[in-house]
Amino acid sequence: MLGPTPMRRGLLPDDMRVRVPLGDGSFAAPRVVRHVRFQCTQSVADDEHRSADAGAGKVWVDAVASAGAFEVPAGSRVEIGGASY
């Protein structure tokens, strides 16, 4: 089993706000998860007015070091670094 990610190395520099979807189509109040890492990816957009999509990526959460960590359900809105995904 792997140990927790060392905080001293700055490997988990980001915080994220998660809004979980509700049954009525709206979203719950945001929950904050501190000390995560976001790795952004972009792909080429099939649109004559844009060269790339808005982006996506992976969020790395450590069960021990990420304060407020929980299993984020599909369809949730996540905000990291001012961008919403």
Side-chain angles (χ1 to χ4, degrees):
M1 184 162 109
L2 296 174
T5 304
M7 295 294 291
R8 69 184 176 280
R9 295 186 185 159
L11 297 176
L12 302 170
D14 304 311
D15 293 338
M16 73 174 175
R17 296 167 48 102
V18 180
R19 297 176 60 214
V20 177
L22 300 175
D24 63 1
S26 65
F27 292 90
R31 293 173 61 181
V32 177
V33 180
R34 300 198 184 285
H35 309 298
V36 301
R37 173 172 287 282
F38 178 62
Q39 184 177 10
C40 184
T41 59
Q42 284 190 328
S43 60
V44 175
D46 191 20
D47 182 333
E48 62 192 43
H49 301 289
R50 299 181 295 160
S51 60
D53 65 7
K58 289 185 181 181
V59 178
W60 303 95
V61 179
D62 187 285
V64 174
S66 298
F70 67 99
E71 188 170 339
V72 178
S76 297
R77 298 298 299 164
V78 177
E79 181 182 320
I80 301 176
S84 182
Y85 302 93

